[in-house]
Amino acid sequence: MVQDVARQVADQVRTGFGLRLSTMEPVTSGADQHARLWLAQAADGSRYAVKLSGGGTPAGLVVTAYLAEQGVPGIVGPLRADDGRLSIDNDGRRVSVVPWVSDQRALDAPMTGAHWRAYGEVLAAVHEVPVTDELSRLLPAGGAAYPSIVTATRAMAARLRDPAPADLADPLVAELAGVWSAVADRLGVLTREVERRAADQRDRPGPTVVCHGDPHLGNLLLGADGQVWLIDWDDAVLAPPECDLMFVLGGVLAFAPITPEQQQAVLAGYGRTDVDRVRLAWFLAVRALDDLSDWTRQAVDLDAAAADRGRAARIVRGLVSPVGLVTLADTALRDSDRRGRAATTSSTSDKK
């Protein structure tokens, strides 16, 4: 079945893009449950990322095509089909082709100081491009999905507090119920603060720029001489820069924390930053709830493969660990509250 799909997609690439592929090797490192990705090689030795997408929108392809046309470094634009489109249809799904630029993910090898600096340069260049009318129509606002994320978090908490008979019989569900119980207070704070601070985000909006939305090291490829490429733009949004910078300043991946020295290298490449810590904390909290509820949903899916459930459970444990995103978001919220109180006290003192 899998080979049949690969052959079908290869045939479509030949007829739609005029590209004859000699091999199609599945790539399984991604987290997108609605997509299939292959490392394909053409007869001339050129390599491509061929993707079959079943969810989301084509916005990521539009964004990368635009950024590449603007000369943004570290962005690989998609090939255009013979009719000029960025993808072709496969029974309601999208087939896209992008040049394969590197085998080396930033997660899998040490990054040099030059790589860290280039990472910041790419983010800065992305944030500086003008927002076109087309992007304004296609891209959602960063953090706009927070109501559904809060709802999903509370629903999962309720399920794990009062498990059904089938859940009670499953050891992994029982374990994760204990995990959630141990961080229930922190999750309560996060959900309330996400809702409370959402009004502040609306009333005090920051600059709206193109954001990758998920620029962690798993979506960063490394090249020689410090070159990097930022890939997988399916979660692109329009948002303040903090939506992307939280991956550097806040830390997102528990198993790949960014050191202060690495942060400084990124910021040296990014240039002048005027980070709003309140806004940064809010984006961290939204992301923490989204990751925790979604990975837990996958871990407690009794119909899923054991290996997939086990991987999801490991990620959940990392999220609530001392270096995990739930902990980091909670700390960022408390820190922003302290900064706010200190600023209020200082302002009051100045008036006396």
Side-chain angles (χ1 to χ4, degrees):
M1 176 64 179
V2 173
Q3 291 180 339
D4 290 343
V5 173
R7 281 194 293 268
Q8 181 192 52
V9 170
D11 287 342
Q12 286 190 290
V13 170
R14 177 176 54 80
T15 58
F17 291 88
L19 188 63
R20 293 182 178 274
L21 302 176
S22 55
T23 61
M24 292 271 284
E25 179 182 342
V27 178
T28 59
S29 57
D32 188 349
Q33 295 180 303
H34 305 290
R36 291 185 179 180
L37 180 66
W38 293 270
L39 166 55
Q41 183 166 308
D44 64 358
S46 300
R47 299 192 301 167
Y48 301 90
V50 177
K51 191 171 186 178
L52 177 63
S53 302
T57 72
L61 296 172
V62 175
V63 170
T64 50
Y66 171 63
L67 293 176
E69 290 165 1
Q70 294 292 305
V72 175
I75 305 300
V76 188
L79 300 186
R80 290 189 179 273
D82 293 342
D83 60 5
R85 292 181 299 164
L86 297 174
S87 64
I88 56 180
D89 182 70
N90 176 301
D91 193 22
R93 297 174 293 181
R94 296 180 304 280
V95 175
S96 58
V97 182
V98 178
W100 187 278
V101 292
S102 173
D103 294 324
Q104 193 66 69
R105 293 194 310 162
L107 276 182
D108 302 328
M111 290 174 64
T112 65
H115 284 129
W116 286 107
R117 184 182 181 95
Y119 179 24
E121 291 171 349
V122 170
L123 290 178
V126 170
H127 294 168
E128 288 171 359
V129 298
V131 178
T132 65
D133 290 341
E134 182 180 25
L135 294 182
S136 295
R137 290 193 303 270
L138 283 176
L139 298 184
Y146 83 88
S148 62
I149 292 170
V150 168
T151 298
T153 303
R154 287 178 170 150
M156 183 56 66
R159 173 181 173 179
L160 294 177
R161 277 197 311 268
D162 186 20
D167 288 340
L168 285 171
D170 185 88
L172 192 54
V173 176
E175 179 200 342
L176 293 180
V179 169
W180 276 61
S181 177
V183 296
D185 290 343
R186 273 189 286 166
L187 292 181
V189 170
L190 289 182
T191 52
R192 290 192 298 271
E193 287 300 297
V194 163
E195 290 181 312
R196 183 179 71 83
R197 297 182 186 217
D200 180 62
Q201 302 305 309
R202 291 191 298 269
D203 297 340
R204 198 175 51 84
T208 299
V209 301
V210 175
C211 286
H212 180 280
D214 199 25
H216 58 70
L217 300 187
N219 287 330
L220 196 69
L221 300 180
L222 307 183
D225 301 321
Q227 188 173 11
V228 301
W229 294 273
L230 190 56
I231 62 169
D232 198 351
W233 285 77
D234 290 345
D235 295 320
V237 294
L238 295 179
E242 286 84 359
C243 184
D244 277 347
L245 291 176
M246 70 170 172
F247 288 83
V248 177
L249 299 175
V252 171
L253 302 180
F255 55 89
I258 298 177
T259 68
E261 293 76 18
Q262 292 164 346
Q263 289 179 357
Q264 289 304 311
V266 177
L267 294 179
Y270 189 85
R272 186 184 66 85
T273 54
D274 184 17
V275 175
D276 186 316
R277 292 287 172 174
V278 174
R279 188 174 295 121
L280 184 78
W282 187 78
F283 277 115
L284 277 169
V286 172
R287 175 72 183 217
L289 295 180
D290 192 17
D291 278 5
L292 186 65
S293 60
D294 189 57
W295 285 111
T296 303
R297 175 188 60 79
Q298 296 179 50
V300 301
D301 181 357
L302 303 182
D303 295 325
D308 293 336
R309 295 185 63 202
R311 174 174 179 258
R314 288 193 297 274
I315 293 174
V316 170
R317 297 183 198 107
L319 287 166
V320 300
S321 72
V323 294
L325 185 52
V326 171
T327 304
L328 295 173
D330 182 59
T331 301
L333 288 173
R334 295 177 191 277
D335 182 60
S336 67
D337 281 341
R338 284 194 297 270
R339 289 171 183 262
R341 288 194 297 269
T344 300
T345 301
S346 175
S347 176
T348 302
S349 299
D350 291 341
K351 293 178 181 179
K352 291 182 180 179

